[in-house]
Amino acid sequence: MTHLEKLEALSVHILREAYREFKSLVMLWSIGKDSTVLLWLTRKAFLGHVPFPLLHIDTGYKIPEMIEYRDKFAKAWHLNMLVGENSSALGSHQTFPDGKLNRIECCKALKSEALKHTLSGEWPRKRFDHNLGDYIIDQNVEAFTGVIVGVRADEEGSRSKERYFSPRDKQNDWDIGDQPPELWHQFKTDFAPGTHIRVHPLLDWTELDIWEYIAKENIPIIPLYFNRGDGKRYRSLGCYPCTKPVDSTATDIRGIVEELKTGKFVNIAERAGRDQDKEDGGGLETLRREGYM
Amino acid sequence: MKDSNLQHQMNVVVVGHVDHGKSTIIGRLLADTHSIPDGKLEQVKATCTRNAKPFEYAFLLDALKDEQAQGITIDTARSFFKTEKRRYIIIDAPGHIEFLKNMITGASRADAAFIVIDAKEGIQENSRRHGYIMSMLGINQVAVIVNKMDLVGYNEQKFNEIAREYSEFLGRLNLRPVSFIPISAINGVNIGARSTDIAWHKGPTVLEQFDAFELKDSRTSLPFRLPVQDIYKFTEAGDDRRIFAGTISSGTAKVGDEIVFLPSGKTSSIKSIESFNTTEKKKASTGEATGFTLTKQVYVKQGELMVKASDPMPLVGARFRANIFWMGKAPLIREKRYTIKLNATRSSLKLVNIINVIDASDLSSEKNKQQVDRHDVAECILETLRPVAFDLVKDIKFTGRFVIIDNYEIAGAGIILEKVADQDSTLHDYVRDREFSWESGTISPAERAAIYGHGAKFVVFTGDETTTKDIIATELEKQLIHSSFKTYYLRMSNVIRGLDSDIKYGPEEREEHIRRLGELARILTDSGQIFITSVTNVDDYDIKTLQLLNSPHEILVVNIGENKFNSLVPDLNLEAGAKAGAAVEAVFSLLRQKKVLLDFQI
């Protein structure tokens, strides 16, 4: 087996394990390349089907093309698509772009808080109704006990310490010092009432693996990742006030792979364009302990 | 570094006693091979300056705040790097005893291992314990790094002493290290480059040793084993394929192969190999997470082991001898029920006997220990509640190892050494003891039957269709009572909310529900009654358990709808949707045939 085949097999195994063990399961889809690969791997695992809902946390500041892309594929692949948001923070303009919060606080409000309350079912979830062709408020308010997330170990220090199956307590807290052992394809799939599990099928993938796999499988990725004539492309997608495109000539997947292997990005961290990571020494770690993905 | 399309990747773990310098070695290796993203080194250095701390290479890895504060690695960190030969993931495992389960997590993913020993401190407790764990995890490519050679003046004799002593220890575990490498991580000696300080060392540098490890997978030539992870039928999406899904742990299978499921023993053959976004597949091999459809539909539960009829069969049994490593906060004891996860199956598990407990830090053993404590390694006899399929670790290690769950946590890991005969399993022992001390009154069962005018019996209705079963059972009770037979029909829902209200309702608890039902049947049949109940989806093993627990009285099994038993033949098979009247008549005639009811009484 090649390296990519091995990565694919382990991810598929993890997804199947999650589906078998958790009755109330959801997958986070940020529309970015990693979680889109995760969605593709799900179709691999379940032979063309996606047997659980997908959740997108909409901060209201996402690049508009991301929303169009999301809805296009929700329709095409007949996805059970859910959307959640922090409507009170957005409604009262308590955000960084409104000048009320710093970047970290804004991420916490629009992403971590929105995610936490959408997962628990306390805040409304919008579900894509395939008959109406639009979003309606979902009647199901049951808490999700298994959450599949596309984080990778190479992204940042604290992520390299994650487990494939990582428990979170009632407060969504992550106890880094006391994580379950994982060995021989056996994971922590038993959990006490009130706790839930984050599942990380992409943990062993690198940014380059992701792109090589996208190329190999011909996965329809959002075109924001490509230079479309202005000499710029996004390397990592987020909210437009905090995510800057990078200078690049890569117009297609092949171009990106070349750029990552030999070109200008070979030694530059992927999240270098994300401003919130730089605010304090352990910025992302602080956010992750509090439930950020 | 030259770029190439490197198709192969190797996972290498670095273990050893706390403070012997694992993280420093890796940090230095990454820096020397220019494997660190541009911003990172500067970022970590800037953080050090801000906190007025001298920079250390270990900080690159110990990127978490907690770890920097305590100066130790608390979890495995993964780093990526590549040589011209292949790509590597280096797993930095913590050396502190408190974080042993993290170390095991990291090491279990490795193809090869470096064990680090401090030249000045020499071999420590965890140097030995980690060696033991490498052998138990089945990692047989091990190289030993003797670090901090600068602190002993790059003395060759000191190095040789450590090498000799540690070789001797590993030898007792049947591990032969591929090399011993003297280095100084802090000075960058013998990591990426050689140094005149250790001109006497003729073996590889750390970097050379990486490429010298072999990445070979001999699993494809082993017998075919597929733990059935799940069975899919996405009918609501208009898909009528019934797919047996799982990851092939060894061997190869192709379309047309005859297959056997164990422990059920059901057979079929492979119709197709299913996949998404690939060309049609005729063959699937070790490591692939795949799916099969079968020519003949068989009823098999998830967790069975799918094997090829032409291959050597795995073993099936409920008792085995194993080496286990315990990580649980609470000790492993005899009085408690645990859960085993073995391949894709789960079962309730009991510790039968501790043969001996080994101190992994010096390999001394203790024979009379009554429990297995945290960080102990023990050889013991374990018993699953129902038979499971497995291989011995010496034959096929991938299907011969398991984990033990205690209180929601993976608390132990083990390898199976030998199958142990289970004719006198715990349940048999238990029933024998119970019957031996059972105290009856002065009325014998025969006398009771003569007075009541009928014998006692435990009648179990099984099958998928709950409603039909309940209607028939209710009608049977009514007609028996109206014919003056002492009868009682018990609905399982009453038991769950009453007698069983202290236990949950889940796959592992199911066995306890069955046990209590069996005990209840023993009492009611002893009272001379015809005791009727209906249970959904019982299998051969459940019936055997009920039969055993209800003994010396007998059980009658009435199956409704498709017969899903493996080898058990129900006393009566009724068609799905059978009418109550006809069904009751059939049961009556069965009871007559079994001499529970005598003809003249009807």
Side-chain angles (χ1 to χ4, degrees):
Chain A
M1 285 173 101
T2 65
H3 171 59
L4 280 182
E5 285 167 348
K6 281 185 188 170
L7 285 174
E8 180 193 82
L10 181 60
S11 300
V12 165
H13 183 87
I14 291 168
L15 285 163
R16 286 172 170 176
E17 199 70 3
Y19 179 60
R20 178 172 86 155
E21 299 289 340
F22 301 107
K23 290 303 150 236
S24 183
L25 189 64
V26 71
M27 178 184 279
L28 300 190
W29 187 26
S30 74
I31 326 300
K33 63 185 190 320
D34 297 339
S35 55
T36 302
V37 163
L38 193 56
L39 175 54
W40 191 262
L41 288 164
T42 306
R43 300 177 81 208
K44 287 263 177 190
F46 306 104
L47 295 312
H49 305 283
V50 181
F52 36 72
L54 294 171
L55 174 63
H56 180 228
I57 295 300
D58 192 348
T59 60
Y61 290 100
K62 294 293 175 192
I63 303 163
E65 275 184 76
M66 292 170 71
I67 306 299
E68 285 165 32
Y69 173 90
R70 176 190 78 195
D71 293 345
K72 179 181 158 191
F73 284 95
K75 276 181 213 156
W77 293 346
H78 218 82
L79 305 175
N80 182 0
M81 187 73 225
L82 301 174
V83 175
E85 62 179 14
N86 186 343
S87 43
S88 73
L90 289 170
S92 59
H93 302 285
Q94 291 297 314
T95 70
F96 167 72
D98 288 311
K100 300 281 173 53
L101 301 177
N102 70 28
R103 291 183 205 270
I104 296 275
E105 289 164 345
C106 184
C107 271
K108 198 175 170 214
L110 297 188
K111 293 184 187 173
S112 309
E113 288 296 311
L115 178 66
K116 187 161 135 184
H117 297 290
T118 307
L119 289 178
S120 70
E122 295 159 87
W123 290 0
R125 300 166 182 157
K126 290 188 288 180
R127 187 172 57 80
F128 189 79
D129 185 311
H130 286 271
N131 294 322
L132 294 175
D134 202 357
Y135 286 88
I136 55 167
I137 297 296
D138 194 16
Q139 296 307 308
N140 175 19
V141 293
E142 195 192 342
F144 291 110
T145 49
V147 185
I148 308 172
V149 193
V151 304
R152 305 189 330 259
D154 75 325
E155 283 177 274
E156 175 268 341
S158 71
R159 288 185 178 186
S160 77
K161 314 246 162 175
E162 275 284 11
R163 293 290 190 268
Y164 300 121
F165 286 72
S166 176
R168 295 292 196 276
D169 66 13
K170 282 194 178 86
Q171 281 71 46
N172 263 306
D173 283 341
W174 181 37
D175 186 351
I176 309 171
D178 186 23
Q179 296 206 70
E182 287 184 337
L183 66 162
W184 304 331
H185 275 198
Q186 301 290 4
F187 314 106
K188 179 181 166 71
T189 51
D190 297 76
F191 59 105
T195 58
H196 70 271
I197 301 280
R198 295 250 168 112
V199 184
H200 303 127
L202 294 184
L203 212 54
D204 294 340
W205 295 59
T206 64
E207 186 187 11
L208 182 59
D209 295 329
I210 292 284
W211 282 112
E212 288 186 327
Y213 189 70
I214 290 169
K216 174 178 172 270
E217 292 288 323
N218 203 13
I219 302 171
I221 208 78
I222 188 164
L224 287 169
Y225 284 108
F226 308 123
N227 161 29
R228 288 173 295 174
D230 58 356
K232 287 186 183 303
R233 72 174 192 87
Y234 285 93
R235 191 172 172 199
S236 169
L237 294 184
C239 300
Y240 55 80
C242 294
T243 310
K244 303 280 178 294
V246 292
D247 293 330
S248 166
T249 53
T251 55
D252 58 10
I253 299 167
R254 191 178 299 272
I256 291 175
V257 170
E258 282 313 305
E259 200 174 65
L260 288 172
K261 275 177 145 178
T262 52
K264 50 185 291 196
F265 292 132
V266 72
N267 278 324
I268 296 176
E270 176 188 359
R271 292 180 64 95
R274 298 276 203 118
D275 290 339
Q276 70 266 39
D277 294 10
K278 296 168 190 158
E279 295 231 329
D280 84 298
L284 200 53
E285 189 191 332
T286 309
L287 283 171
R288 281 183 72 63
R289 281 181 189 269
E290 288 165 358
Y292 181 73
M293 294 300 165
Chain B
M1 199 167 301
K2 197 187 100 190
D3 176 72
S4 53
N5 283 310
L6 298 168
Q7 294 289 307
H8 295 289
Q9 180 172 288
M10 183 178 230
N11 293 342
V12 180
V13 68
V14 183
V15 299
H17 198 75
V18 66
D19 273 342
H20 283 197
K22 295 175 294 295
S23 300
T24 310
I25 294 172
I26 300 166
R28 187 82 205 206
L29 186 73
L30 295 180
D32 286 3
T33 54
H34 311 288
S35 310
I36 296 160
D38 278 351
K40 185 131 180 175
L41 191 61
E42 289 71 30
Q43 188 196 331
V44 174
K45 282 183 173 165
T47 309
C48 287
T49 314
R50 203 159 60 227
N51 299 333
K53 275 205 310 202
F55 167 77
E56 286 182 31
Y57 282 100
F59 293 158
L60 279 172
L61 299 166
D62 299 349
L64 285 176
K65 286 177 174 176
D66 277 359
E67 295 183 6
Q68 286 181 31
Q70 295 174 20
I72 52 169
T73 308
I74 59 173
D75 198 353
T76 52
R78 277 170 272 196
S79 324
F80 299 80
F81 99 107
K82 63 183 174 183
T83 63
E84 290 185 13
K85 187 170 178 180
R86 62 189 160 215
R87 310 205 259 189
Y88 292 96
I89 293 184
I90 313 176
I91 304 158
D92 178 22
H96 199 277
I97 184 89
E98 277 304 299
F99 309 119
L100 209 58
K101 60 187 177 140
N102 297 339
M103 179 264 171
I104 286 179
T105 302
S108 73
R109 293 171 188 161
D111 304 296
F114 283 105
I115 300 177
V116 180
I117 298 173
D118 183 318
K120 189 143 184 276
E121 278 193 27
I123 298 161
Q124 296 293 310
E125 183 186 329
N126 278 330
S127 321
R128 295 200 190 88
R129 185 179 273 113
H130 289 181
Y132 190 95
I133 290 166
M134 293 304 113
S135 88
M136 208 174 127
L137 289 173
I139 298 165
N140 34 33
Q141 293 193 80
V142 171
V144 182
I145 293 176
V146 181
N147 187 25
K148 306 192 189 176
M149 285 299 292
D150 52 307
L151 299 183
V152 295
Y154 299 103
N155 183 310
E156 185 178 6
Q157 201 187 336
K158 181 79 192 164
F159 168 77
N160 287 338
E161 274 167 29
I162 291 172
R164 193 170 49 244
E165 190 188 339
Y166 200 60
S167 285
E168 193 269 326
F169 174 80
L170 292 180
R172 287 197 272 157
L173 301 168
N174 292 321
L175 261 183
R176 247 193 311 195
V178 295
S179 65
F180 278 87
I181 312 169
I183 70 157
S184 164
I186 204 154
N187 297 329
V189 170
N190 271 351
I191 292 203
R194 289 172 186 282
S195 154
T196 49
D197 290 326
I198 307 192
W200 47 265
H201 176 64
K202 304 291 179 239
T205 61
V206 173
L207 189 59
E208 286 163 356
Q209 182 56 59
F210 267 93
D211 279 351
F213 283 131
E214 287 177 41
L215 187 60
K216 53 169 190 249
D217 198 341
S218 51
R219 288 197 277 170
T220 20
S221 56
L222 292 169
F224 174 74
R225 300 287 189 255
L226 177 95
V228 179
Q229 199 177 4
D230 217 335
I231 298 151
Y232 300 130
K233 202 169 175 188
F234 297 106
T235 5
E236 63 276 29
D239 184 344
D240 60 6
R241 291 175 294 177
R242 188 153 181 266
I243 300 165
F244 292 78
T247 304
I248 303 174
S249 63
S250 61
T252 301
K254 54 185 195 307
V255 172
D257 280 344
E258 298 287 326
I259 49 123
V260 184
F261 291 95
L262 291 170
S264 74
K266 298 214 165 155
T267 59
S268 190
S269 66
I270 297 172
K271 185 179 167 193
S272 69
I273 294 167
E274 297 295 322
S275 56
F276 170 76
N277 199 41
T278 64
T279 51
E280 194 187 344
K281 296 185 77 159
K282 291 285 181 200
K283 197 180 106 172
S285 202
T286 309
E288 287 181 48
T290 184
F292 299 92
T293 65
L294 306 179
T295 49
K296 180 183 83 182
Q297 286 316 321
V298 286
Y299 179 76
V300 170
K301 287 181 185 169
Q302 51 176 224
E304 294 220 24
L305 199 55
M306 177 174 152
V307 305
K308 277 201 299 208
S310 59
D311 275 341
M313 290 289 119
L315 302 168
V316 173
R319 255 188 198 207
F320 48 83
R321 184 166 63 87
N323 264 352
I324 62 154
F325 183 78
W326 195 249
M327 297 169 268
K329 288 184 184 114
L332 174 70
I333 51 172
R334 273 199 206 84
E335 295 72 23
K336 198 168 165 188
R337 283 229 153 263
Y338 299 89
T339 297
I340 184 173
K341 284 170 89 175
L342 165 71
N343 300 320
T345 199
R346 301 170 69 100
S347 176
S348 181
L349 182 85
K350 259 187 99 126
L351 170 67
V352 178
N353 192 21
I354 300 171
I355 299 170
N356 72 56
V357 173
I358 304 146
D359 184 337
S361 66
D362 62 2
L363 298 188
S364 65
S365 70
E366 202 178 325
K367 298 264 184 229
N368 297 316
K369 223 173 152 177
Q370 294 304 304
Q371 61 181 39
V372 184
D373 291 310
R374 192 175 201 191
H375 303 146
D376 276 350
V377 180
E379 187 182 341
C380 50
I381 306 285
L382 297 171
E383 184 180 276
T384 52
L385 212 119
R386 53 183 60 214
V388 288
F390 56 85
D391 286 293
L392 302 185
V393 82
K394 70 177 170 61
D395 301 328
I396 308 177
K397 66 180 174 186
F398 313 99
T399 30
R401 50 203 192 181
F402 58 87
V403 297
I404 301 171
I405 313 288
D406 180 21
N407 191 28
Y408 307 112
E409 304 292 339
I410 295 179
I415 53 178
I416 303 179
L417 305 171
E418 182 192 32
K419 179 183 160 178
V420 177
D422 54 14
Q423 52 265 50
D424 60 342
S425 74
T426 317
L427 193 60
H428 276 93
D429 293 349
Y430 164 78
V431 170
R432 200 176 47 224
D433 288 354
R434 185 193 68 185
E435 291 308 309
F436 182 74
S437 50
W438 190 280
E439 292 185 40
S440 299
T442 54
I443 308 289
S444 73
E447 207 177 341
R448 201 185 296 269
I451 291 165
Y452 285 174
H454 64 88
K457 207 73 166 178
F458 179 25
V459 183
V460 179
F461 285 89
T462 71
D464 289 342
E465 290 171 76
T466 320
T467 46
T468 327
K469 280 195 310 246
D470 288 346
I471 292 166
I472 298 172
T474 312
E475 186 61 24
L476 178 65
E477 181 192 36
K478 185 175 121 191
Q479 297 208 20
L480 283 168
I481 297 260
H482 285 170
S483 313
S484 305
F485 298 112
K486 304 217 160 14
T487 309
Y488 184 68
Y489 166 50
L490 177 71
R491 284 160 189 79
M492 277 311 285
S493 54
N494 296 343
V495 181
I496 290 159
R497 289 198 199 95
L499 186 63
D500 290 355
S501 64
D502 58 325
I503 44 177
K504 290 185 299 176
Y505 204 71
E508 267 101 27
E509 289 75 24
R510 181 183 171 82
E511 285 154 354
E512 178 59 15
H513 289 281
I514 295 281
R515 189 192 71 80
R516 292 189 188 185
L517 180 63
E519 291 291 352
L520 192 56
R522 169 69 177 95
I523 294 167
L524 291 172
T525 49
D526 199 49
S527 77
Q529 301 193 68
I530 298 169
F531 172 45
I532 307 165
T533 195
S534 80
V535 195
T536 308
N537 281 327
V538 281
D539 61 17
D540 295 53
Y541 195 78
D542 293 328
I543 295 293
K544 274 185 207 149
T545 307
L546 289 174
Q547 207 162 24
L548 198 59
L549 286 166
N550 186 49
S551 61
H553 297 281
E554 287 176 354
I555 192 169
L556 271 188
V557 180
V558 182
N559 182 65
I560 299 167
E562 189 194 344
N563 177 7
K564 289 179 175 172
F565 290 106
N566 297 325
S567 56
L568 184 130
V569 181
D571 297 284
L572 186 63
N573 264 308
L574 297 170
E575 275 175 26
K579 292 273 175 297
V584 167
E585 203 149 300
V587 180
F588 258 78
S589 100
L590 180 69
L591 289 170
R592 277 198 296 275
Q593 198 189 318
K594 296 274 178 188
K595 307 276 192 262
V596 179
L597 312 182
L598 303 174
D599 283 334
F600 65 88
Q601 291 169 313
I602 296 180

